[in-house]
Amino acid sequence: MRVLAVGLALLLALPLAAQEQPPSVVRDLAGKVESAHLSRTVVRLASFGTRHTLSDPLAEHRGIGAARRWLAGEFQAIARQSGSRLVAFEDTFQAGPDPLLPRRVELANLGALLPGVDPSRAREALVVAAHYDSRAQDPLDATSDAPGAVDNASGVALVLEMATVMAAERPAVGIYFVATAAGEQGNLGSVRLAGRLKAEGIEVLAMVAADCVGNTALPGGTKANEGMRLFSPGLPAQETEGERRVRELLGSENDGPSRALARYIKRMGEHYVEGFEAMVMLRRDRVGFTGEHLVFDQQGWPAVRVTEAADNFDRLRRNVHSETGRAFGDTPAFFDAGYCAKITRMLVTSFRHLAFAPPPPQNVGLGGCGSPDARLFWTLPDDPRVTGVVLYHRRADMVQWQQTRAFPKSESQVIPGVGTDSDVFAVATLDAQGDESLPVSPRSVAF
Ligand SMILES: [Zn+2]
């Protein structure tokens, strides 16, 4: 009888890794992403000439004001579409003066919220954001052309397309789709967004900053179009002394919540986007950069930056010009829409699973130290949709999870023959549709 019950539960709750086909509803959603939509957004945003934060806010066809008004109209339009559940918003605020913004200006974050349907989780949300401003070589040059096709009209196009294809979904938790202001002037829009969410009592389960997601051409004619990079802090910015001590006991410095999110996007997204690799970089950001995801990390929330596999430095932060037949500048001619669509599908599918998944397990701990068999234990959330759990482990010298095993509802499992010292572990909850929560690493050790 017991064997039968276990078998039935496994049948109902197979995790993605064990399924021959990932859920068709998620596959269908990925299929709705259209390269043509991405191209249209990038070409339109580039057509404003410059979107520098200090450019003309009032001109009809050029500058940040015209771009902002067009983008606000786009979010309103997708919220009005038949069947859409999106609520468009525009959050205006004042910023400056500071070294990167020498005078006081009005800024605006633009976006749409897809409300969650689980009343007990009304304060939980996912966030995908991309800055919509641009810059030329000089960070304070507000008049030169700065079309910003890849940096970062591509990211905004991804955010708009995600909102478009997910507009009618009914996730457990909310999803914010946001085009942020002044990314090039110190991430002022993300600071505002994170601060507002915190003040409103929203718990951000996951944040993804899409920044430069459209270049595949490298100088010399080589292509980098078979993957994307995920940058994430290995450890959260906020860590108590007690958490630090446990982390040192466990040796889990490569398994903070943001790194878990990066692995989640890789694991889920790669099921749906064939031949495309998400590279989980063991690095918090591009060298010398402070991306918008780090603003959310500062608030204690899991956050990653998604970016193209390789940047082209003839494009980024270069004035538009040519030298002996070589073109410089970030113009739409170099935007690869098919590639950007693949990154968009990676995020649509991983967000779809995460926003529908039950809450993660709590009080996760590791036991079995000094024995050949590791033991994990945890507390399940009080959510009727939990049908099982998924245990993950990998050798401690590996980046990505190597083993995933599904179990029926339980609050501890022994992993026979896998010791605590050579492997790293995590556990997630699972529902009947194959939606998994973010995996949680052990935060205590039992001897
Ligand atoms: Zn950027």
Side-chain angles (χ1 to χ4, degrees):
M1 187 64 195
R2 182 176 166 76
V3 171
L4 180 66
V6 168
L8 186 63
L10 278 174
L11 200 66
L12 290 172
L14 281 173
L16 267 181
Q19 293 175 339
E20 281 183 29
Q21 290 292 326
S24 60
V25 286
V26 185
R27 185 171 291 288
D28 290 349
L29 206 57
K32 289 182 181 171
V33 172
E34 287 192 32
S35 306
H37 291 171
L38 300 166
S39 281
R40 174 182 164 272
T41 301
V42 168
V43 168
R44 190 72 178 97
L45 283 173
S47 76
F48 296 108
T50 176
R51 302 187 305 280
H52 192 278
T53 298
L54 293 169
S55 61
D56 192 337
L58 301 174
E60 201 178 338
H61 300 298
R62 183 181 175 86
I64 190 68
R68 167 178 152 183
R69 289 188 295 277
W70 178 79
L71 254 182
E74 289 298 294
F75 280 110
Q76 287 157 13
I78 55 176
R80 279 196 306 267
Q81 279 175 350
S82 168
S84 172
R85 299 183 58 249
L86 293 169
V87 181
F89 63 84
E90 184 168 351
D91 178 28
T92 58
F93 57 102
Q94 303 286 321
D98 65 43
L100 278 171
L101 195 67
R103 60 186 161 80
R104 195 147 187 84
V105 289
E106 184 191 83
L107 303 178
N109 288 335
L110 315 163
L113 165 64
L114 182 65
V117 299
D118 183 342
S120 69
R121 304 179 70 192
R123 312 306 290 175
E124 297 176 39
L126 314 184
V127 177
V128 59
H131 74 85
Y132 66 92
D133 59 312
S134 68
R135 58 167 279 187
Q137 203 145 339
D138 174 349
L140 296 181
D141 176 357
T143 55
S144 294
D145 277 352
V150 165
D151 190 8
N152 186 33
S154 66
V156 176
L158 173 149
V159 168
L160 264 179
E161 187 65 357
M162 280 185 73
T164 303
V165 304
M166 299 183 83
E169 295 291 312
R170 300 179 59 79
V173 300
I175 306 178
Y176 289 86
F177 304 92
V178 193
T180 49
E184 303 288 9
Q185 319 301 137
N187 295 327
L188 297 173
S190 324
V191 170
R192 166 75 177 190
L193 175 61
R196 271 206 70 163
L197 294 173
K198 195 81 170 183
E200 290 170 12
I202 303 293
E203 183 63 26
V204 176
L205 303 180
M207 186 270 183
V208 173
D211 201 348
C212 299
V213 287
N215 175 72
T216 53
L218 298 176
T222 53
K223 280 261 182 195
N225 59 1
E226 294 178 346
M228 66 186 205
R229 289 175 292 174
L230 294 165
F231 288 99
S232 60
L235 297 174
Q238 297 177 1
E239 190 178 40
T240 65
E241 184 55 25
E243 287 166 344
R244 183 187 67 77
R245 279 201 299 271
V246 173
R247 187 241 308 162
E248 288 178 351
L249 274 176
L250 285 159
S252 56
E253 49 276 345
N254 195 24
D255 282 77
S258 296
R259 197 57 55 74
L261 172 59
R263 291 190 177 99
Y264 184 93
I265 294 168
K266 176 182 178 69
R267 180 171 136 69
M268 292 298 170
E270 286 181 358
H271 281 285
Y272 299 96
V273 188
E274 215 169 295
F276 199 71
E277 182 188 10
M279 293 174 263
V280 175
M281 314 305 283
L282 303 183
R283 178 167 266 179
R284 57 197 271 110
D285 203 352
R286 290 175 57 202
V287 172
F289 281 77
T290 304
E292 298 185 277
H293 63 303
L294 297 180
V295 173
F296 281 72
D297 171 49
Q298 282 292 333
Q299 295 282 8
W301 294 325
V304 308
R305 170 192 178 129
V306 58
T307 197
E308 55 216 12
D311 296 312
N312 185 328
F313 297 104
D314 286 359
R315 312 272 153 263
L316 302 184
R317 300 184 170 186
R318 300 301 297 262
N319 287 2
V320 180
H321 70 293
S322 64
E323 288 172 26
T324 58
R326 183 168 170 178
F328 292 86
D330 191 2
T331 60
F334 301 100
F335 170 66
D336 187 333
Y339 172 75
C340 186
K342 289 183 180 177
I343 298 182
T344 308
R345 290 184 190 112
M346 295 286 291
L347 294 188
V348 163
T349 52
S350 46
F351 264 55
R352 171 62 172 70
H353 277 297
L354 187 53
F356 278 70
Q362 295 141 11
N363 308 313
V364 179
L366 179 66
C369 306
S371 85
D373 308 320
R375 181 174 66 85
L376 272 101
F377 53 91
W378 58 88
T379 310
L380 285 178
D382 183 20
D383 187 319
R385 292 177 310 121
V386 177
T387 55
V389 294
V390 183
L391 258 55
Y392 305 77
H393 61 99
R394 66 175 196 274
R395 235 172 51 189
D397 63 339
M398 304 300 285
V399 174
Q400 183 54 22
W401 299 117
Q402 293 174 293
Q403 291 283 337
T404 58
R405 307 172 191 213
F407 294 93
K409 275 176 87 162
S410 53
E411 294 198 322
S412 89
Q413 290 289 340
V414 171
I415 308 182
V418 180
T420 56
D421 302 338
S422 294
D423 277 60
V424 181
F425 306 88
V427 57
T429 54
L430 178 68
D431 72 10
Q433 285 73 44
D435 301 311
E436 294 176 26
S437 72
L438 279 183
V440 180
S441 297
R443 287 165 191 174
S444 65
V445 193
F447 291 96

